[in-house]
């Protein structure tokens, strides 16, 4: 395999943060010699998450075995995942906001047609459903655990407790029509075909669309980490990957 220098478009603060976490972890477990320093292991992990490089590519670039590269990435991802904020923490942080934005996104996975629980009829592909909360400016605040792609957005919001958490905090939440019937403080556009809506309802929907559109910015922030654009790992690991990305994003943007 040919090896060449490459760049990773992640802030140095994210690299420093992950390096510190790995150093602390090594001290706790009493780890001695490693093929890579904590800083190089952090860079390896960022290359995997941000660029989507495979373990074989990482192994060649860092002079490791493929199994060692997998082990190093998994260790770092698990450390990061536990640092991601819970829904309750995210809601407390956002309690001073005028409102929040809620949207669902599908993270594509490499599954075959027989894997029906992971097939999203809306997106016409296999994937995992992740719910995203953003502030009024479209800044990513929280991402949910991953559910099979066949789960609809409104069901996912209920299962994660998003609707109840926002209602309990009294925070209005703007969403699309996929959350019809959610209740609580969730706000959706006026229901019906455009031509059947009154002029006032059409005006409301136009205003609603302008506000809710910023939720796409939060989804784009999540998918800027290229690994999440096409996942080829076990579905049981996807939640940890999403939480690790969330922790890194909040750390580097804070």
């Amino acid at each position: 395999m040919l090896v060449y220098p490459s760049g990773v478009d992640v802030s140095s603060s994210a690299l420093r943060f992950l390096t510190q976490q790995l150093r602390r972890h090594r001290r706790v477990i009493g780890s001695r010699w490693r093929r890579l320093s904590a800083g190089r292991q952090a860079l390896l992990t960022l290359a995997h998450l941000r660029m989507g490089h495979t373990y074989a590519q990482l192994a060649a670039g860092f002079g490791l075995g493929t199994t060692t590269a997998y082990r190093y990435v998994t260790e770092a991802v698990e450390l990061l995942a536990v640092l991601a904020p819970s829904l309750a923490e995210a809601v407390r942080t956002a309690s001073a906001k005028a409102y929040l934005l809620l949207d669902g996104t599908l993270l594509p996975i490499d599954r075959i047609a027989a894997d029906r629980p992971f097939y999203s009829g809306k997106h016409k592909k296999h994937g995992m459903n992740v719910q995203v909360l953003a502030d009024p400016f479209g800044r990513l605040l929280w991402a949910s655990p991953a559910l099979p792609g066949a789960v609809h957005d409104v069901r996912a919001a209920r299962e994660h407790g998003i609707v109840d958490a926002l209602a309990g905090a009294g925070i209005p939440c703007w969403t699309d029509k996929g959350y019809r019937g959610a209740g609580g403080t969730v706000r959706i556009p006026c229901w019906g075909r455009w031509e059947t809506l009154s002029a006032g309802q059409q005006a409301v929907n136009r205003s609603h669309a302008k506000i809710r559109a910023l939720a796409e910015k939060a989804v784009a922030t999540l998918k800027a980490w290229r690994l999440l654009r096409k996942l080829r790992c076990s579905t049981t690991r996807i939640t940890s990957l999403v939480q690790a990305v969330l922790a890194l994003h909040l750390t580097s943007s804070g």
Side-chain angles (χ1 to χ4, degrees), residues 19 24 35 90 148 164 197 221-222 231:
T19 299
R24 186 177 298 115
R35 287 292 301 273
D164 290 341
L197 298 178
T221 297
L222 194 65
L231 289 153

Side-chain angles (χ1 to χ4, degrees), residues 7 16-17 54 58 89 101 112 121 134 136 142 160 188 202 218 235-236 238 249:
R16 289 194 300 269
F17 173 76
T54 65
L58 295 171
E89 291 170 339
L101 306 173
I112 59 175
W142 180 78
H160 294 309
I188 65 168
Q202 290 179 354
T235 55
T236 59
I238 294 177
H249 167 72

Side-chain angles (χ1 to χ4, degrees), residues 11 21 39 47 51 56 64 73 88 95-96 100 117 124 126 136 139-140 144 159 166 174 190 196 217 221 231 247 249:
S11 69
Q21 296 301 316
M51 310 305 294
L64 302 169
V73 169
S95 59
L100 293 181
K124 308 301 181 185
H126 292 80
R139 292 179 295 220
L140 178 64
S144 75
E159 287 195 16
L166 294 176
W174 298 73
C190 297
T196 64
K217 180 180 176 182
T221 297
L231 289 153
H249 167 72

Side-chain angles (χ1 to χ4, degrees), residues 35-113:
R35 287 292 301 273
L36 296 182
S37 66
R40 294 286 285 172
Q41 184 181 354
L43 183 59
L44 173 88
T45 304
L46 292 178
H48 179 63
L49 296 175
R50 187 70 173 188
M51 310 305 294
H53 291 167
T54 65
Y55 296 118
Q57 291 171 323
L58 295 171
F62 285 80
L64 302 169
T66 303
T67 302
T68 303
Y70 171 83
R71 189 173 67 251
Y72 279 1
V73 169
T74 300
E75 180 182 48
V77 165
E78 290 175 352
L79 284 175
L80 288 169
V82 299
L83 299 176
S86 66
L87 175 60
E89 291 170 339
V91 170
R92 281 198 299 272
T93 300
S95 59
K97 308 290 184 183
Y99 59 88
L100 293 181
L101 306 173
L102 172 63
D103 199 7
T105 187
L106 188 80
L107 304 182
I109 59 175
D110 58 343
R111 286 297 183 271
I112 59 175

Side-chain angles (χ1 to χ4, degrees), residues 157-180:
R158 286 176 177 147
E159 287 195 16
H160 294 309
I162 299 171
V163 176
D164 290 341
L166 294 176
I171 304 176
C173 177
W174 298 73
T175 66
D176 59 28
K177 292 182 179 180
Y179 295 86
R180 184 187 185 192

